[in-house]
Amino acid sequence: MTSQFKNYIAGEWRESSEAADNVNPSNTRDIIGQYARATAADAERAIEAARAAFPAWSRTSPQVRHDILKKVGDEILARKEELGQLLAREEGKTLPEGIGEAARAGQIFLFFAAETVRMAGEKLPSVRPGIDVEITREPVGVVGIITPWNFPIAIPAWKIAPALAYGNTVVFKPADLVPGCAHALSEIIVRAGIPEGVFNLVMGRGSVVGDAFVRHAHVDAITFTGSVPTGRKLAATCIENMKKFQLEMGGKNPLVVLDDADLGTAVECAVNGAYFSTGQRCTASSRLIVTEGIHDKFVDAVTERLKSLVIDDAVKQGTHIGPVVDQSQLDQDLSYIKIGQEEGAKLVYGGELLNRENPGFYLAPALFTEVKNSMRVAREEIFGPVATVTRAKSYDEALELANDTMFGLAAGVCTTSLKYATHFKRNSEAGMVMVNLPTAGVDYHVPFGGRKGSSYGPREQGSYAKEFYTTVKTAYTLPG
Ligand code: NAD
């Protein structure tokens, strides 16, 4: 019998009137479980519970919050193999990638456990004699957390941990495709002793649960990671309702490869950045911009490397790239592969469906060359194992092409020249810049986020996260 999983609302595991199957993309015959699908009324109950729990939670000693977050982090790390296996099974990342992501989630909880006791304010002299000025940070209130499917445990962790650390209460809606990791993480948070109402898991549709979060007067802030169209819609509603919000959205991240690059490094950066995790990373290097002198050698070497990759069941040992997450994402990838060919780009490798032992969404990683930056395949986020190569005559042209995009999440350059590396770091219009490293792959203790159409609002992660999860108070005292 298929296991049933409930929502966690107001301190109780609760059934909903609807449930949805969680399907393994490596083997569509494998149903991981049936997960509750909340109604708008369930969302409302969760929001009211979070509202009611806020005054007490916001005044807890940091030690209480520290101890709970530390327990969560410790349990995740102790169970990272099992959680990584669940992640690979439901999302399609390979097992090592799944375990790595689970470990990352644990480290994030431990980081924010420590942040609870690092909250500092400022005390200044007033410009008026005899008066003291104090600047302190306070929690924002009820935080609505809306997450995408591509990092099913790390993204929830990097939103839930700071929200709770800084004294907010939480209503959390994971993506419909990956309720498994969200449920497992919620069980851990509950087991760690989170008080009733402080944390609520509300699995369900974006148009029902997500929309309820964004419209409800008792949700004070919304943190969202997902696609640009959803982010835009959500932003408009947040503004209408005067909510604080933060958006992390898509990318079309350039990796510039210069003539003087180490070829091996450039190929590894490109293949890892563009295709690992099935190319389903917001920071994926989907645009490879390559100068003339190294272009042909680079394309040949990337193609050879792609031939050596094993595309198979995500949990199978030896798999380098797992399946695409579902049929609809696969249809999107295939449609862009067709568009690229129609636009005149040359498909030099991959792009075809693959059959494996079990029915799944297997796609051979696709490489396009002769791509103009004006083509749709170079401008729109595909979000699959598809990369484009665009030629550049010089470093200056490569930089111009790299910045010629509506997105600004991550950018990379492969070069052995300090001059070009330094210039690129200064002049790239991206929130995160990598030199001789894949555009995907970041640390958890430093800010994460982008510019232009990729992001809106304060950065996530590291101590910069407090910009979003706290609000500043300025107090004036005339000692009486
Ligand atoms: P999506 O926009 O379809 O969904 C994201 C979340 O929003 C889901 O939980 C969904 O249920 C919810 N949602 C949908 N409609 C809603 C509505 N009307 N109101 C409120 N919530 C709603 O994105 P996705 O397909 O899950 O994720 C892929 C996208 O996420 C890609 O564009 C990727 O680049 C982006 N992403 C960005 C980052 C980043 O940090 N910049 C990280 C990971 C993924």
Side-chain angles (χ1 to χ4, degrees), residues 69-343:
L69 294 179
K70 175 152 187 320
K71 262 193 201 162
V72 175
D74 286 344
E75 182 172 341
I76 295 173
L77 286 173
R79 291 174 53 203
K80 65 179 187 202
E81 273 87 11
E82 176 203 339
L83 292 165
Q85 168 98 17
L86 172 64
L87 197 162
R89 195 174 156 212
E90 80 170 346
E91 196 265 349
K93 277 200 180 83
T94 64
L95 189 55
E97 287 171 333
I99 294 169
E101 187 183 328
R104 171 60 55 103
Q107 288 155 345
I108 289 168
F109 271 93
L110 295 184
F111 177 88
F112 284 105
E115 282 293 283
T116 58
V117 289
R118 277 197 206 110
M119 281 290 278
E122 287 176 77
K123 190 161 184 176
L124 320 173
S126 166
V127 292
R128 291 170 285 165
I131 295 176
D132 277 340
V133 185
E134 283 166 350
I135 304 165
T136 50
R137 286 184 180 271
E138 295 181 358
V140 177
V142 175
V143 177
I145 295 179
I146 302 174
T147 55
W149 51 261
N150 68 324
F151 282 93
I153 197 161
I155 294 181
W158 83 51
K159 293 179 186 294
I160 295 168
L164 296 175
Y166 298 123
N168 303 281
T169 57
V170 165
V171 286
F172 164 44
K173 191 209 97 58
D176 310 20
L177 286 175
V178 290
C181 285
H183 192 278
L185 174 60
S186 303
E187 280 182 327
I188 294 170
I189 294 171
V190 172
R191 218 179 350 264
I194 200 85
E196 178 183 322
V198 171
F199 170 82
N200 301 272
L201 168 69
V202 198
M203 299 175 285
R205 291 185 192 282
S207 55
V208 177
V209 176
D211 194 61
F213 286 7
V214 179
R215 290 183 192 281
H216 202 291
H218 288 166
V219 174
D220 301 284
I222 294 283
T223 174
F224 167 86
T225 300
S227 64
V228 172
T230 313
R232 284 223 172 108
K233 209 176 343 161
L234 207 135
T237 319
C238 282
I239 286 174
E240 234 173 74
N241 294 280
M242 297 297 280
K243 279 189 206 320
K244 187 172 188 181
F245 65 98
Q246 168 189 60
L247 313 172
E248 281 302 337
M249 300 173 287
K252 193 74 188 174
N253 311 290
L255 175 72
V256 169
V257 177
L258 297 179
D259 286 356
D260 68 8
D262 175 80
L263 185 63
T265 303
V267 170
E268 281 318 300
C269 287
V271 171
N272 176 321
Y275 300 106
F276 284 7
S277 301
T278 324
Q280 299 173 151
R281 292 186 286 195
C282 50
T283 47
S285 320
S286 47
R287 284 192 302 142
L288 308 170
I289 298 167
V290 187
T291 48
E292 301 272 21
I294 198 171
H295 179 280
D296 295 355
K297 272 184 284 184
F298 174 78
V299 169
D300 289 347
V302 170
T303 309
E304 280 312 304
R305 182 76 175 87
L306 290 179
K307 286 183 192 160
S308 73
L309 296 179
V310 177
I311 292 93
D312 207 334
D313 193 313
V315 297
K316 213 164 158 178
Q317 220 181 2
T319 295
H320 297 113
I321 298 180
V324 171
V325 74
D326 74 346
Q327 186 65 52
S328 133
Q329 184 61 51
L330 182 62
D331 291 345
Q332 178 166 315
D333 299 347
L334 291 170
S335 118
Y336 273 108
I337 288 167
K338 193 156 160 265
I339 290 168
Q341 288 168 307
E342 287 166 2
E343 288 180 308

Side-chain angles (χ1 to χ4, degrees), residues 2-6 19-22 31-36 179 203:
T2 319
S3 308
Q4 314 278 320
F5 297 90
K6 300 174 185 171
D21 284 347
N22 184 359
I31 306 298
I32 296 155
Q34 279 194 329
Y35 289 78
M203 299 175 285

